[in-house]
Amino acid sequence: GQQVMQIPQYQHVQEGEDFTTYCNSSTTLSNIQWYKQRPGGHPVFLIQLVKSGEVKKQKRLTFQFGEAKKNSSLHITATQTTDVGTYFCAGPKGYSTLTFGKGTMLLVSP
Amino acid sequence: DVKVTQSSRYLVKRTGEKVFLECVQDMDHENMFWYRQDPGLGLRLIYFSYDVKMKEKGDIPEGYSVSREKKERFSLILESASTNQTSMYLCASSLGHSQGVGDTQYFGPGTRLTVL
């Protein structure tokens, strides 16, 4: 079945350093979504990428969708303590369900 | 704004008890989902529903059942709770009608269930 893998599982950075998480799917995706879950919170939708090679930015966050639509990345420039949380990618599976990656937990030290 | 609410933030039950987790969404969404979240295992889909009275098994349905009698409400039932069902349970909803495109999902705050 479809699998979505994320790496790294965990990353600890100093405030101001950059951070990247990678997402790889075993199948071609029609779109990919990214969610963020703050500690003690619930996943919150960040963005959806649809087109091959698409790049979208949200302030310091840059999202990319691979040319083959099987991989994606989220890059955070100059991390801040407010970026702490777990970042999940998710791809469509079947009728309106999503397959989530296991997430990358980001810790930022001041 | 979409609002998804869950009946309890924290719940403690004993082994063998019947447990009901309730979820309500206020945006007339077609689809509703129940996940459990465990450290290192990510989000795992238990059941989902794409219409009233319709349900589909997710990846880990064993030990659970669901009920959707009204469009806005989706209940997760643990018929006989066991200690290995101690987890964070997250409800989500999505608009629907997308035929496999994969709707954005909106999550509730979660219920942390402990089974003793």
Side-chain angles (χ1 to χ4, degrees):
Chain A
Q2 180 191 62
Q3 290 187 357
V4 175
M5 291 150 288
Q6 263 185 275
I7 54 170
Q9 189 175 356
Y10 169 88
Q11 189 153 6
H12 188 177
V13 301
Q14 294 292 313
E15 193 171 22
E17 291 181 339
D18 291 356
F19 160 78
T20 305
T21 174
Y22 300 91
C23 182
N24 290 288
S25 170
S26 58
T27 59
T28 301
L29 301 171
S30 58
N31 71 73
I32 194 155
Q33 301 176 28
W34 286 91
Y35 293 76
K36 177 183 178 181
Q37 184 175 21
R38 294 181 187 276
H42 57 275
V44 174
F45 172 77
L46 291 176
I47 206 161
Q48 178 174 280
L49 304 171
V50 179
K51 298 177 184 175
S52 169
E54 189 170 15
V55 178
K56 286 189 176 180
K57 292 191 175 186
Q58 288 181 349
K59 296 182 180 178
R60 294 176 295 102
L61 278 61
T62 302
F63 302 84
Q64 279 191 290
F65 200 10
E67 294 289 341
K69 301 184 77 172
K70 293 181 75 173
N71 59 73
S72 181
S73 65
L74 158 58
H75 179 83
I76 303 178
T77 304
T79 54
Q80 300 176 359
T81 54
T82 53
D83 296 324
V84 164
T86 301
Y87 293 85
F88 295 95
C89 63
K93 177 184 176 184
Y95 184 82
S96 288
T97 60
L98 296 174
T99 298
F100 284 85
K102 290 186 178 179
T104 296
M105 182 186 294
L106 172 64
L107 277 183
V108 181
S109 294
Chain B
D1 277 354
V2 176
K3 191 165 185 184
V4 181
T5 57
Q6 294 184 228
S7 50
S8 307
R9 285 286 274 152
Y10 299 94
L11 208 53
V12 179
K13 295 291 182 181
R14 298 212 172 268
T15 302
E17 280 193 79
K18 190 169 186 175
V19 182
F20 293 87
L21 302 181
E22 305 283 338
C23 175
V24 177
Q25 50 93 4
D26 67 355
M27 284 301 291
D28 201 36
H29 281 178
E30 297 279 331
N31 301 326
M32 296 188 75
F33 309 85
W34 275 106
Y35 295 89
R36 64 177 282 177
Q37 184 174 31
D38 302 287
L41 297 179
L43 292 161
R44 294 183 291 168
L45 182 64
I46 304 170
Y47 267 97
F48 68 99
S49 168
Y50 53 90
D51 201 353
V52 175
K53 298 192 186 294
M54 305 304 289
K55 60 186 180 184
E56 292 282 345
K57 292 180 180 179
D59 300 316
I60 52 163
E62 296 78 19
Y64 303 94
S65 62
V66 290
S67 172
R68 193 162 180 206
E69 296 296 318
K70 293 185 178 182
K71 192 174 186 180
E72 67 272 17
R73 190 179 295 270
F74 192 34
S75 302
L76 180 69
I77 304 152
L78 287 66
E79 293 289 342
S80 178
S82 63
T83 54
N84 63 13
Q85 292 178 310
T86 292
S87 186
M88 170 67 83
Y89 289 87
L90 288 161
C91 175
S93 70
S94 71
L95 183 60
H97 309 294
S98 64
Q99 292 291 339
V101 173
D103 289 325
T104 299
Q105 293 189 9
Y106 298 86
F107 286 82
T111 296
R112 186 164 293 283
L113 173 68
T114 301
V115 182
L116 302 175

